[in-house]
Amino acid sequence: MLSTIIMSSKRQRREHCTRYKTLNHEVGGLGKTKPETGVTLFDEQMIPSQNKQGVVSAEILSRSGKPVLVSFQAPWPMLTSSGLEARDVKNPESSFVQVIPAVPNWSDTKVFSQLLLESVFSKQGKFSAYGEPYAFSYSTRNKKKDGDDKILFSVSFTSLTPAMRESERKVWIKPQQVDDDTLVLLVVGTTRARFPSFETTFEKVVDSFTAVAAPESSLKKSTR
């Protein structure tokens, strides 16, 4: 099953460019500070890890403060400077985890796209260092895994580079609900032009993603 929503306009692009060229001038051309991904480690002393097979794993907090075990396998090195991320430091391919609230009917494309605008693509998000993204196109498809249907969201959009040039990008987003209040997302992608060459790699990354509630009795939260 495939569904698509397109949100794009020339006026929207002009407004974003004008708005953030002004912002870029005011702050001396500097990008924004550390993006907000909603990822909080369950224990700050237990840093995320990546093994020799590329599996990134961490214990993070749900929105209600419960422990969640998260893992995914990526061919790029793990970075911990801004949440939970693995990326190619020389190229635009990347993957990262985002934690957002779970709402009723979140699997509906319209509902989910609004959640993304308020998190992944918000002004505090990873793609907004030089301006909020725009010109979105959303689609969904079901992926069979272990006999169950899993929803995979595909989003194409335009972001701005440090030189204020438009960059067309595409990401896949795999959501996993944990408890009643939390969605843990894996976001993986690159530029739209490079995406077809990495589609097989991205398939493996999203297929490896897991986020499950951890037994609280086996973990000890640090005092912060």
Side-chain angles (χ1 to χ4, degrees):
M1 180 178 180
L2 179 68
S3 61
T4 305
I5 296 178
I6 298 176
M7 300 167 59
S8 175
S9 72
K10 291 182 179 179
R11 180 180 179 183
Q12 185 185 34
R13 290 194 289 270
R14 288 197 300 270
E15 287 176 350
H16 274 278
C17 288
T18 300
R19 178 180 173 187
Y20 288 102
K21 281 180 181 177
T22 301
L23 176 62
N24 196 54
H25 174 73
E26 289 175 351
V27 299
L30 296 177
K32 294 184 65 176
T33 55
K34 184 177 178 179
E36 297 177 8
T37 62
V39 172
T40 302
L41 295 179
F42 182 78
D43 187 330
E44 291 181 348
Q45 296 179 355
M46 298 176 64
I47 63 173
S49 63
Q50 185 177 34
N51 65 19
K52 293 181 179 180
Q53 289 72 44
V55 177
V56 175
S57 58
E59 297 170 352
I60 66 175
L61 289 176
S62 70
R63 290 180 58 82
S64 57
K66 297 179 180 179
V68 178
L69 301 178
V70 175
S71 70
F72 63 94
Q73 187 174 17
W76 317 293
M78 181 186 71
L79 303 178
T80 58
S81 57
S82 56
L84 188 58
E85 177 180 22
R87 65 176 303 151
D88 188 326
V89 295
K90 296 182 179 180
N91 292 297
E93 290 74 51
S94 68
S95 56
F96 66 91
V97 171
Q98 180 99 26
V99 177
I100 66 174
V103 300
N105 301 319
W106 63 263
S107 59
D108 178 83
T109 305
K110 290 183 179 180
V111 175
F112 193 72
S113 64
Q114 184 59 41
L115 289 175
L116 294 180
L117 290 175
E118 296 169 357
S119 56
V120 177
F121 300 121
S122 72
K123 65 176 65 176
Q124 291 83 29
K126 275 188 172 290
F127 298 106
S128 301
Y130 302 96
E132 292 176 62
Y134 50 92
F136 293 97
S137 174
Y138 300 88
S139 65
T140 64
R141 65 187 176 98
N142 291 337
K143 284 177 61 65
K144 282 280 188 182
K145 184 180 180 183
D146 299 328
D148 295 327
D149 280 335
K150 300 294 184 181
I151 299 175
L152 182 66
F153 290 85
S154 176
V155 187
S156 296
F157 60 96
T158 300
S159 62
L160 296 175
T161 69
M164 305 311 295
R165 296 189 177 92
E166 293 184 337
S167 174
E168 294 186 344
R169 302 187 66 91
K170 181 177 178 179
V171 297
W172 280 345
I173 301 176
K174 184 178 179 181
Q176 179 65 53
Q177 183 165 355
V178 181
D179 294 329
D180 295 329
D181 63 347
T182 303
L183 283 177
V184 182
L185 314 179
L186 180 68
V187 184
V188 57
T190 184
T191 61
R192 203 176 307 177
R194 291 170 64 91
F195 197 96
S197 299
F198 288 89
E199 191 162 327
T200 300
T201 297
F202 295 157
E203 287 271 8
K204 294 178 180 179
V205 176
V206 297
D207 284 346
S208 71
F209 174 58
T210 62
V212 296
E216 295 184 73
S217 60
S218 67
L219 298 172
K220 182 179 179 181
K221 185 178 176 182
S222 64
T223 302
R224 290 187 276 176

